[in-house]
Amino acid sequence: MREVWKLPAESLFRYTGNDWLENLLAQSDVNTRPRILLLLWRAWHLRNDIIHQDGKARIDESIVFLQSYLRDCQAVLCNSEDTKGKSPEVQSAPQPTRTYCDAAPSWSPPALGWIKVNTDGSFHPNDRSSGAGIIVRDSFGTVVTAACVALEHCQDAEEVEAKAALEGIKLLSNLGHMKIILELDCAIAAKALRSQEHDRSKAWNTYEEAKVLLKAFQDHTISLVRRESNCVADALVKLARRGRVSIQGITLTPDIRELVNNDIALGALQVI
C-alpha cells in the first residue's frame, strides 16, 4: 500500500496501549486518516477470510479494492455536501410516510457494547404485497444476522414500516443483546415508537407490542435516518417482496454484501 498511499511509519502501527489508534490518527493529516482506517478494516477482513473462508484473497486485489473504495467514498461525501439540494444523486420522488433527519447520509457503526438493527418496509398498494428487510450489525460493522420477511394483511405503508420495526426488535430479543439502536427511515413510525402516549393509528397494536419488547432491553435508542443510510435493509426488503418468503440468518448476496462494505467504508470516514 505504501507504493500508492502515504502512510505512517510501520513502528507507529504497533500496539502501545488502549489509545494507540487515537494517537496515531491525531498525528496524521486529514488525507492519511481515512487511509489508515480503511487499511485496518481491510486487514481485519483478510484475517476473517483466512480463518472462516478459503484464505485465497490476494494482496494486489486489496490494493486496487482500497483505492477504488476511497475514491468512491470521497465522491459520495462530496455529493452529500450539496446544501441547496441540486445534486441529481440525492433527488428522489416524495414519499408520504418518510421524512429525513439531519443525520449523515451513510450508515454509522454503534458504540462499543451496542448493537444496531436497521429495518425497512415496502408496501405495494396494487397487490398489497409487503415485506420487511432487517440487518443487524455490531460496532465493527460485522453482520450479526440479517432477515427478509414477507408480511401479510397490511393495510398501508405505515403499518408495514411498523411491522418491519417490530420484526427487527423480535430478532434482537432472540439474540439476547441488551443495548440496541433501532434505525428506520420512516418518520411516523419512529415518532410513534418514541412516544409515551397511546397510538391511535391503524398500527397501534404493532407499536404497543414493540414498546413492550423494548422495555426488556437494558437500554435502547430509536433513530430516524435518511434513506441513504438504510440501503442494506432496503435491498433486503426487495427480496422479501419479490419472493414473498421469510428467511432469517440469510447468506447475503454479492450485491448486498457490497452495500454492507460501502457502509463500513463510509462509516470509517465519518469518525475522522
Side-chain angles (χ1 to χ4, degrees):
M1 286 308 301
R2 294 185 186 281
E3 294 181 2
V4 293
W5 280 358
K6 176 186 174 183
L7 292 168
E10 194 74 22
S11 59
L12 296 178
F13 281 92
R14 294 173 183 167
Y15 180 81
T16 57
N18 292 336
D19 57 352
W20 75 271
L21 180 55
E22 183 179 352
N23 291 334
L24 176 58
L25 293 174
Q27 298 171 25
S28 304
D29 59 51
V30 67
N31 293 320
T32 305
R33 291 171 191 166
R35 294 171 181 173
I36 293 172
L37 293 171
L38 288 175
L39 179 63
L40 294 174
W41 162 67
R42 187 62 179 178
W44 184 257
H45 167 79
L46 294 176
R47 173 259 186 197
N48 288 338
D49 182 71
I50 293 172
I51 295 175
H52 303 295
Q53 303 297 328
D54 55 17
K56 295 181 179 180
R58 293 164 44 187
I59 294 177
D60 58 339
E61 291 176 346
S62 291
I63 293 174
V64 174
F65 172 82
L66 287 174
Q67 286 181 285
S68 175
Y69 256 95
L70 181 59
R71 285 194 299 268
D72 290 345
C73 292
Q74 290 172 333
V76 169
L77 291 177
C78 287
N79 288 336
S80 71
E81 292 175 359
D82 179 5
T83 57
K84 294 184 179 179
K86 294 183 179 180
S87 173
E89 286 81 5
V90 297
Q91 291 178 352
S92 60
Q95 299 291 327
T97 64
R98 302 176 193 263
T99 59
Y100 305 125
C101 64
D102 294 327
S106 59
W107 183 85
S108 60
L112 286 173
W114 288 69
I115 207 82
K116 178 179 284 189
V117 56
N118 287 77
T119 66
D120 195 25
S122 177
F123 176 75
H124 200 290
N126 292 338
D127 60 4
R128 294 190 176 276
S129 61
S130 55
I134 305 163
I135 179 83
V136 181
R137 286 171 282 190
D138 64 15
S139 305
F140 300 99
T142 303
V143 176
V144 177
T145 189
C148 54
V149 182
L151 301 175
E152 298 181 350
H153 311 301
C154 295
Q155 301 301 311
D156 54 31
E158 181 191 352
E159 185 176 5
V160 171
E161 292 285 358
K163 287 189 174 182
L166 175 60
E167 292 294 331
I169 295 168
K170 286 180 177 179
L171 188 56
L172 286 177
S173 298
N174 294 334
L175 293 174
H177 294 287
M178 297 309 294
K179 294 183 179 180
I180 70 161
I181 299 172
L182 170 63
E183 282 192 348
L184 61 162
D185 58 16
C186 176
I188 294 176
K191 182 179 179 180
L193 288 169
R194 290 170 178 164
S195 176
Q196 301 298 316
E197 299 179 1
H198 183 75
D199 188 81
R200 299 189 180 187
S201 69
K202 294 179 182 178
W204 69 269
N205 56 333
T206 301
Y207 289 133
E208 293 305 309
E209 183 178 355
K211 290 177 184 179
V212 170
L213 291 177
L214 286 171
K215 291 179 180 178
F217 295 99
Q218 180 181 338
D219 202 353
H220 71 270
T221 299
I222 309 297
S223 179
L224 173 65
V225 296
R226 302 185 185 195
R227 196 168 192 177
E228 305 97 288
S229 305
N230 215 27
C231 58
V232 179
D234 177 68
L236 287 168
V237 78
K238 290 174 182 175
L239 290 179
R241 268 199 52 222
R242 221 168 25 231
R244 300 199 182 187
V245 294
S246 299
I247 308 173
Q248 256 187 340
I250 64 172
T251 300
L252 301 181
T253 58
D255 56 330
I256 295 178
R257 173 61 64 181
E258 183 176 356
L259 291 175
V260 171
N261 289 337
N262 270 326
D263 277 350
I264 296 172
L266 288 170
L269 290 177
Q270 283 188 59
V271 301
I272 299 170

